[in-house]
Amino acid sequence: MATIREPLVRIPASLVSVADYERLAPEFIEPATLAYIAGGSGNEQSLRANIEDVARLRIRNRLLVDSAHGHTRLSLLAHSLAHPVLLAPIGHQGLVHRDGEVAVAQGAAATDTALVTSTQATRRLEDIAAATDGPKWFQLYFQPRKEHTLALVRRAEAAGYTALVVTLDTPVQPLSRRAQRAGFRIPSDCLPASLAEFSEQTRPPSALAGVFDGLMAAAPGWQDLDWLMGQTRLPVIVKGVLDVEDAAKCQRRGVSGLVLSNHGGRALDGVPSAISVLPEIRARLGKTYPLLIDGGIRSGYDVFKALACGANAVLVGRPQIYALAVAGALGVAHMLKLLRDELEVCMALSGTPTLADIGALSLAPDLQLTNLGYH
């Protein structure tokens, strides 16, 4: 078995893309852990769709556009952001680096990047917040007992998080076949630090109890979302939306924004990618309603495509884990710089000097092979 390398302290000249971090990841992550990170649920149809649907889109280049005053700034939920790339909430980051989510927060701080901290983080939410003075949101899973959910909300408010991102698409977490085959188990030193004070008896029932009698018995409903919004002044964003009717229902109930997501292909397998449903949801909810997406974002060109389809911003998931494993906070910062640099190049060459200039016309029409005489 190959020896797992320590994180790099310098970025080699050969590391020039987000894909390079994924390519190097097996040298820095234990095989079973890598299977857990890289894998998706079921037959991994949705995992593949995330990449394929983004890759299928083509960008329209434009000539002689004045881009002298171009920039990537935006306003999102009344906050000014330097660019439209956020770090998605990913739990158990201590699996790949000793400093875990704190190192990710340091990388975010170095690149003016907004951070979304996971309920499942291996570092306390307060310690993660203290590691960055940049924008930060807290991703919340409803706990089986409301007082525990409320305790997390109050801690997030006190720590300086400025929005709550409520994940609703995984009341049951499907098992990854890759992880099962690799024999992966989350080690005891990588459990969620912010949940440590909650006793085992109040955590969700084991899947051994059966789906409907076990996990789904404690699953939240619309009334719980309404309750949560009544408990905080922070904007509440719902993550995990793919259905246009669910999206409209969230908007009507006063949800401040949505993250369109299939959980990185780790929730219900066979559902569409976020980018494929984005245009329909944008059309239904209007031009000004905040919509973010995740899944399949691997370059600045992918960020551009998501914005052209109607997103205000994107979240990157697995790339931050690979970058963290390869080079710690430095790797996360470098990965984010690569995304931002590529986005700026793409904007310049497509004649869209600001994010407001990016739209549906920034994408080329689908190539119809039949028009070229192919069948």
Side-chain angles (χ1 to χ4, degrees):
M1 180 180 295
T3 301
I4 300 301
R5 298 174 60 184
E6 289 294 313
L8 302 176
V9 295
R10 293 186 303 169
I11 303 298
S14 59
L15 213 169
V16 298
S17 72
V18 171
D20 287 334
Y21 279 105
E22 185 170 359
R23 174 179 56 81
L24 289 173
E27 300 178 25
F28 296 86
I29 303 175
E30 294 285 350
T33 299
L34 185 60
Y36 168 71
I37 293 167
S41 60
N43 293 319
E44 299 188 344
Q45 296 177 26
S46 297
L47 178 65
R48 292 190 296 273
N50 287 344
I51 299 291
E52 293 167 358
D53 289 352
V54 174
R56 192 173 293 119
L57 298 172
R58 296 291 180 264
I59 299 168
R60 186 194 300 268
N61 68 307
R62 299 300 303 275
L63 306 179
L64 302 176
V65 176
D66 181 5
S67 299
H69 302 289
H71 62 82
T72 60
R73 296 187 298 274
L74 72 155
S75 178
L76 190 60
L77 298 180
H79 291 280
S80 296
L81 303 182
H83 58 86
V85 180
L86 290 76
L87 290 168
I90 298 182
H92 312 296
Q93 294 186 29
L95 288 167
V96 302
H97 192 279
R98 64 177 65 90
D99 295 329
E101 295 83 2
V102 167
V104 170
Q106 292 167 342
T111 53
D112 297 319
T113 299
L115 168 75
V116 187
T117 292
S118 172
T119 295
Q120 303 288 339
T122 52
R123 292 298 192 97
R124 296 172 67 252
L125 64 91
E126 292 86 356
D127 298 332
I128 300 166
T132 176
D133 55 3
K136 42 192 169 282
W137 301 349
F138 182 69
Q139 178 269 333
L140 177 71
Y141 284 113
F142 278 103
Q143 301 301 299
R145 294 176 60 172
K146 282 187 174 179
E147 60 264 35
H148 292 164
T149 299
L150 190 56
L152 289 172
V153 171
R154 295 291 178 257
R155 288 173 62 186
E157 292 169 338
Y161 292 93
T162 56
L164 298 176
V165 180
V166 186
T167 298
L168 296 178
D169 62 335
T170 50
V172 176
Q173 179 67 63
L175 297 174
S176 162
R177 292 173 184 170
R178 281 202 226 183
Q180 291 181 77
R181 293 183 185 114
F184 175 77
R185 297 289 185 275
I186 294 177
S188 59
D189 60 349
C190 286
L191 296 176
S194 294
L195 304 183
E197 64 189 65
F198 304 154
S199 69
E200 293 290 341
Q201 287 74 25
T202 61
R203 292 181 185 170
S206 167
L208 295 177
V211 172
F212 294 108
D213 294 334
L215 292 165
M216 290 305 294
W222 288 104
Q223 71 279 3
D224 297 293
L225 180 60
D226 294 338
W227 168 82
L228 175 65
M229 290 191 296
Q231 298 298 316
T232 181
R233 293 184 178 180
L234 295 181
V236 172
I237 302 162
V238 168
K239 182 175 183 292
V241 179
L242 291 173
D243 180 82
V244 66
E245 296 303 328
D246 284 344
K249 193 169 185 177
C250 286
Q251 184 185 42
R252 290 196 300 269
R253 296 177 100 90
V255 171
S256 297
L258 304 177
V259 178
L260 311 186
S261 170
N262 63 23
H263 217 90
R266 299 168 73 90
L268 175 61
D269 192 32
V271 299
S273 66
I275 202 164
S276 69
V277 301
L278 172 58
E280 180 186 13
I281 292 177
R282 169 56 73 200
R284 178 70 173 272
L285 271 55
K287 295 181 179 180
T288 62
Y289 190 75
L291 292 178
L292 299 85
I293 75 164
D294 66 18
I297 304 299
R298 298 295 186 269
S299 71
Y301 307 100
D302 295 342
V303 176
F304 182 94
K305 292 175 182 180
L307 301 180
C309 287
N312 297 94
V314 305
L315 296 92
V316 292
R318 288 181 178 89
Q320 70 173 283
I321 296 296
Y322 298 141
L324 174 65
V326 171
L330 176 63
V332 174
H334 180 246
M335 180 272 297
L336 289 165
K337 183 178 186 302
L338 290 173
L339 290 174
R340 185 172 178 179
D341 287 350
E342 289 175 347
L343 173 61
E344 291 183 1
V345 168
C346 189
M347 292 170 64
L349 295 179
S350 64
T352 54
T354 71
L355 301 185
D357 297 315
I358 303 173
L361 294 179
S362 302
L363 297 177
D366 288 341
L367 180 65
Q368 298 294 328
L369 295 181
T370 54
N371 294 340
L372 300 178
Y374 296 98
H375 303 282

